[in-house]
Amino acid sequence: MTLQPKCEDVETAEGVAITVTGVAQVKVMVDNELLGYACEQFLGKSVIEIKSVILQTLEGHLRSILGTLTVEQIYQDRDRFAALVREVAAPDVGRMGIEILSFTIKDVYDKVEYLSSLGKSQTAAVQRDADIGVAEAERDAGIREADCKKEMMDVKFQADTKMADSKRGLEMQKAAFNQEVNTKKAEAQLAYELQAAKEQQKIRLEEIEIEVVQRKKQITIEEKEIDRTEKELIATVKRPAEAEAYKMQQLAEGQKMKKVLTAQAEAEKIRRIGEAEAGSIEAIGKAEAEKMRLKAEAYQHYGDAAKKALVLEALPKIAAKVAAPLARTNEIVILSGDGSRVTGEVNRLLAELPVSVNALTGVDLMKIPLLQKMINPQA
């Protein structure tokens, strides 16, 4: 099986985060005992699952080894780094019945341009050595030329040669110093940027933790405020509302009971009054009925004589009722020039009296001989 372990943004011994990818060739061991280990570990699993287990093991060892080396050691000696990974990971995968056939480093890179800075430093060193070689070559050429001229003009050019040598040496020294200073500045600037990035990351983590704590406290405060508001609403709104509702309910029940009792009492009063009135009416009706029955029996027994006696008994009362308005009259004056007319008016009144009595009592006075004779003497 071919595996490609990869560790991203792993910090080295110097704290530089780098990413390393590799290629590993592994296989299942054929030794009986080790093959049994492999069967025990991977029997029933798919090839993808087996690769995942081995890959995670290799990546774990790769990550741990990266933390013990510097970037220069990893980048400049990849073979030693790969051999170290094989050496450390082989026992663990061997206990799973897996053998590492090969392990090589495929790529090493970072996101902070640390490796590119190393390349720039090496380039600067090579350039420095080239400049020194050129200067030395030029120096040798000058020396030889000076020697030739020295043979010709030893005295004349001796001072010039020394002056040129001193000047050249001064320039070379200045160039070397400048190169070293620039190199140190670049290294210092790079280290400063790396350290600043680390500190900024730490500060951000602390700020996030502070924000989390503040948010938790704010949530706690809001929960307590919600509980307080809820209790306050219960105390100031719900309880008084319940008490008022209970009061109104009791008052309504009392009014209802009062009205029911009042209605019952009024009904009982009306019933009893009605019973009393009904009893009174019944007694009066029974007495009247008994009276009428006795009168009817008497009338039936005596016949016309009883009826005549009744009429005679009622006539004074009728006369009294008719004369009642005249009782308050001192005198009656009938104006008529003819005396016979006054007599006629009186006769007319007497003639109308039987009709009125008959209408009031149902008794015909004209059938009573005595009264008939009184009313109509001519008859």
Side-chain angles (χ1 to χ4, degrees):
M1 293 176 287
T2 300
L3 305 177
Q4 294 183 354
K6 181 179 181 180
C7 294
E8 296 183 351
D9 296 332
V10 180
E11 291 189 358
T12 62
E14 295 177 342
V16 180
I18 64 173
T19 300
V20 177
T21 59
V23 178
Q25 300 292 335
V26 299
K27 75 178 188 67
V28 178
M29 297 182 181
V30 296
D31 183 80
N32 290 333
E33 182 178 0
L34 298 176
L35 184 59
Y37 292 160
C39 293
E40 181 181 355
Q41 294 292 327
F42 303 116
L43 190 61
K45 294 184 178 180
S46 65
V47 176
I48 296 176
E49 292 175 337
I50 296 172
K51 285 184 177 182
S52 176
V53 173
I54 301 172
L55 183 62
Q56 290 178 10
T57 304
L58 292 177
E59 288 179 348
H61 289 293
L62 180 59
R63 185 180 297 272
S64 63
I65 294 172
L66 286 173
T68 62
L69 301 176
T70 64
V71 178
E72 290 81 359
Q73 291 173 337
I74 297 170
Y75 188 76
Q76 295 175 0
D77 196 355
R78 297 190 180 189
D79 293 337
R80 179 175 175 275
F81 175 53
L84 185 59
V85 173
R86 288 196 302 271
E87 179 181 350
V88 174
D92 284 346
V93 297
R95 283 190 289 271
M96 294 186 291
I98 301 298
E99 179 183 3
I100 300 176
L101 299 176
S102 66
F103 183 88
T104 57
I105 300 301
K106 183 179 179 181
D107 194 7
V108 178
Y109 59 92
D110 66 292
K111 298 179 181 179
V112 295
E113 298 184 356
Y114 186 88
L115 294 174
S116 63
S117 298
L118 289 178
K120 291 178 181 179
S121 176
Q122 294 296 329
T123 302
V126 172
Q127 186 66 35
R128 180 195 62 193
D129 293 340
D131 292 340
I132 293 173
V134 171
E136 289 178 349
E138 291 178 353
R139 183 194 61 189
D140 294 340
I143 292 173
R144 290 181 180 181
E145 183 181 357
D147 290 339
C148 293
K149 291 181 178 181
K150 183 180 178 182
E151 294 176 358
M152 297 174 59
M153 302 176 65
D154 188 23
V155 176
K156 180 180 180 182
F157 293 104
Q158 185 177 3
D160 296 336
T161 302
K162 290 181 179 181
M163 185 180 295
D165 290 339
S166 297
K167 186 177 181 180
R168 185 174 60 250
L170 178 61
E171 293 295 333
M172 291 175 60
Q173 190 70 25
K174 288 172 64 177
F177 286 162
N178 290 333
Q179 185 176 6
E180 291 179 358
V181 169
N182 292 333
T183 302
K184 293 298 182 182
K185 284 183 179 180
E187 293 176 353
Q189 182 65 25
L190 181 59
Y192 172 78
E193 292 176 354
L194 291 175
Q195 188 64 29
K198 290 181 181 179
E199 293 299 325
Q200 187 66 28
Q201 186 177 9
K202 291 180 180 179
I203 292 171
R204 182 54 187 161
L205 291 175
E206 292 294 333
E207 290 177 350
I208 292 173
E209 291 179 357
I210 292 172
E211 290 176 357
V212 171
V213 172
Q214 290 178 347
R215 184 56 183 163
K216 288 182 179 178
K217 290 183 179 179
Q218 183 66 26
I219 292 172
T220 303
I221 293 172
E222 291 176 353
E223 290 177 349
K224 291 183 178 179
E225 181 63 20
I226 291 171
D227 292 339
R228 186 193 68 78
T229 304
E230 183 179 358
K231 291 179 181 178
E232 182 179 355
L233 289 175
I234 290 173
T236 59
V237 178
K238 183 178 180 181
R239 297 303 184 195
E242 291 178 350
E244 184 67 21
Y246 181 77
K247 176 182 175 182
M248 296 301 294
Q249 182 181 2
Q250 294 300 316
L251 289 175
E253 291 291 337
Q255 291 294 331
K256 177 182 177 182
M257 185 60 66
K258 179 180 177 181
K259 290 181 179 180
V260 170
L261 293 177
T262 302
Q264 291 178 350
E266 187 68 23
E268 182 66 18
K269 176 182 175 182
I270 294 171
R271 185 183 66 80
R272 292 187 179 183
I273 290 173
E275 289 178 353
E277 290 179 351
S280 175
I281 293 171
E282 182 181 4
I284 293 171
K286 287 181 179 179
E288 291 292 337
E290 183 65 20
K291 180 180 177 181
M292 294 300 292
R293 186 182 65 79
L294 293 175
K295 283 186 177 181
E297 289 178 355
Y299 292 157
Q300 186 177 5
H301 180 71
Y302 292 106
D304 293 337
K307 293 180 181 180
K308 294 175 180 179
L310 179 61
V311 171
L312 292 175
E313 183 180 354
L315 283 176
K317 295 180 180 179
I318 295 172
K321 293 291 185 181
V322 173
L326 300 177
R328 294 187 295 273
T329 305
N330 294 325
E331 61 180 4
I332 298 175
V333 177
I334 299 176
L335 299 178
S336 176
D338 189 359
S340 61
R341 187 176 181 180
V342 174
T343 305
E345 290 293 332
V346 173
N347 291 331
R348 186 181 61 80
L349 292 175
L350 292 175
E352 291 177 356
L353 181 61
V355 178
S356 300
V357 172
N358 188 19
L360 293 172
T361 63
V363 178
D364 189 1
L365 296 179
M366 299 304 295
K367 293 182 180 181
I368 300 174
L370 180 59
L371 293 177
Q372 183 178 10
K373 190 174 183 178
M374 292 175 60
I375 295 172
N376 189 7
Q378 297 178 357

